[in-house]
Amino acid sequence: MEMPAALKQFLEDLTIGLKRNNLKKDAVRLSSRYRTEERRGQSLTDDKADSVAYAVSRMPATFGSLSLVLEQASALPNFFPETMIDVGSGTGSAVWAASCFFNLRQIICLERNPDMRAVGKELTEKASDFFAVSPVWRDFDLIQDSLPRADLVTTGYVLNELNEKDRLNALLKLWTAAQNVLVLVEPATPESFRQVMTYRKTLIENGAFIAAPCPHQNECLNDWCHFGCRVARSKTHRIAKGGNAPFEDEKFCYLIATRQKYNGTAERILRRPLIETGKVTLSLCTPNGITEKTFSKKDGIVYKAARKAKWAGTFIPRA
């Protein structure tokens, strides 16, 4: 999903007066820090310039992954959240994404880094016409502070920064706060997937129903399940990232946990469909395990549906 035009423009506005070389250096340094350092709860950014670089270089990708997941949450039967809490908001990708799908009357953004919080607040305050209600930004520490409740609780790229003990304590705090739905998004690394499988098991043990990506509540048989979305790059985004490609692929792991059990028949598409002349092959997670199915033109409507299928989407099997 494309970022809202307002957010694109506000991100461009953040860079007014900044030297492009400095923006690029800050973005590259943040990327290197993210990939190589074990922060264990330490802040990624050091000042507002870092936070601006983060917003310009990372918000298109995090908006992309979160909007894909929240779109799936919006398809849940009878789920019409009025209140939302985003934990570890950063510069606000999740609340921008959620507001594309839900009519929210209360939005709370919880972020402990003051510079990230300031940039995120600046972006949402400029968008009075986009949000039905202005998001409220608060200082918050997931480990130490108590968490209020909301219909929808989201957190993206946060739990992987904590140590093992703090992760599980934070997970239970997030689940307790979620009155209806909890959305978790994490990086697409084998280690993050291992952690997400631990979260999945813990949530099920505490009464959760996993609505996505899994079409079942059984033990996961996949060694590494992750998904992706393609993100368009603006000129400023390309400068910050130091690349010329007009797009980038953001890969991630995620869970949607719900209080209500849903009886669905859809199977999850685990990889990009393999489209060849006259046939399409889908890698699918089903209630009976992981399988590959190939459809040809003789399958008619099902073949046409398979050609339109997308990675991370669902596919409803037909006889």
Side-chain angles (χ1 to χ4, degrees):
M1 179 178 180
E2 287 285 332
M3 283 198 307
L7 179 54
K8 289 182 181 179
Q9 184 58 56
F10 298 152
L11 287 175
E12 292 289 330
D13 292 345
L14 285 177
T15 66
I16 294 175
L18 297 180
K19 293 182 178 180
R20 292 183 174 183
N21 285 341
N22 290 343
L23 177 65
K24 179 179 177 181
K25 288 178 181 178
D26 288 342
V28 170
R29 178 168 49 80
L30 291 175
S31 177
S32 176
R33 183 183 298 182
Y34 182 84
R35 294 173 185 276
T36 61
E37 293 184 14
E38 293 189 3
R39 294 186 303 284
R40 296 296 183 240
Q42 298 301 311
S43 175
L44 176 67
T45 61
D46 296 327
D47 53 28
K48 186 173 181 179
D50 279 354
S51 297
V52 168
Y54 174 87
V56 172
S57 64
R58 282 295 293 159
M59 277 192 80
T62 55
F63 175 87
S65 61
L66 286 157
S67 62
L68 188 152
V69 176
L70 287 165
E71 182 177 17
Q72 293 180 9
S74 73
L76 295 173
N78 302 314
F79 179 52
F80 308 103
E82 294 185 343
T83 58
M84 172 188 181
I85 293 175
D86 182 43
V87 181
S89 293
T91 52
S93 293
V95 297
W96 282 88
S99 295
C100 293
F101 303 106
F102 303 112
N103 184 22
L104 299 162
R105 63 174 179 82
Q106 182 184 67
I107 303 171
I108 299 176
C109 303
L110 303 178
E111 171 58 48
R112 71 174 191 165
N113 183 296
D115 295 308
M116 296 277 268
R117 196 166 63 244
V119 171
K121 185 177 181 181
E122 179 180 344
L123 291 171
T124 56
E125 284 183 343
K126 287 182 176 180
S128 58
D129 294 336
F130 180 81
F131 294 98
V133 60
S134 297
V136 176
W137 288 79
R138 297 177 183 170
D139 184 12
F140 182 80
D141 188 303
L142 180 55
I143 304 304
Q144 299 180 7
D145 298 336
S146 60
L147 187 59
R149 294 188 176 187
D151 298 332
L152 170 65
V153 174
T154 60
T155 187
Y157 306 89
V158 171
L159 293 180
N160 66 300
E161 298 180 4
L162 306 177
N163 61 46
E164 200 78 28
K165 178 182 176 180
D166 286 341
R167 282 185 202 129
L168 293 180
N169 290 339
L171 176 70
L172 294 175
K173 184 183 291 188
L174 291 164
W175 176 236
T176 299
Q179 292 182 306
N180 296 107
V181 170
L182 171 64
V183 169
L184 305 175
V185 177
E186 292 291 292
T189 65
E191 173 58 21
S192 284
F193 176 68
R194 183 193 68 78
Q195 294 169 11
V196 168
M197 287 302 95
T198 300
Y199 307 154
R200 182 182 185 275
K201 181 175 183 293
T202 301
L203 287 167
I204 291 174
E205 290 173 348
N206 283 271
F209 176 78
I210 305 301
C214 315
H216 60 79
Q217 308 303 295
N218 306 321
E219 181 181 357
C220 178
L221 301 177
N222 209 337
D223 293 330
W224 181 20
C225 179
H226 66 287
F227 303 92
C229 60
R230 180 148 288 183
V231 179
R233 284 176 168 175
S234 66
K235 181 178 180 180
T236 302
H237 189 198
R238 292 197 299 271
I239 291 170
K241 300 289 286 189
N244 295 318
F247 63 85
E248 69 177 9
D249 292 324
E250 174 71 3
K251 298 178 181 179
F252 56 93
C253 305
Y254 77 99
L255 289 175
I256 300 176
T258 68
R259 298 280 176 189
Q260 179 181 347
K261 183 177 181 179
Y262 299 100
N263 295 315
T265 58
E267 300 172 346
R268 184 69 57 187
I269 301 169
L270 296 178
R271 293 174 181 82
R272 284 197 178 91
L274 177 60
I275 300 177
E276 301 174 282
T277 303
K279 65 179 182 179
V280 181
T281 301
L282 301 180
S283 178
L284 298 165
C285 181
T286 78
N288 298 317
I290 298 170
T291 186
E292 285 195 351
K293 295 181 181 179
T294 299
F295 305 93
S296 64
K297 289 184 177 180
K298 68 179 181 181
D299 293 308
I301 294 175
V302 181
Y303 167 72
K304 292 180 180 179
R307 282 188 62 87
K308 295 179 181 178
K310 295 181 179 180
W311 185 18
T314 55
F315 187 79
I316 300 176
R318 300 179 187 274

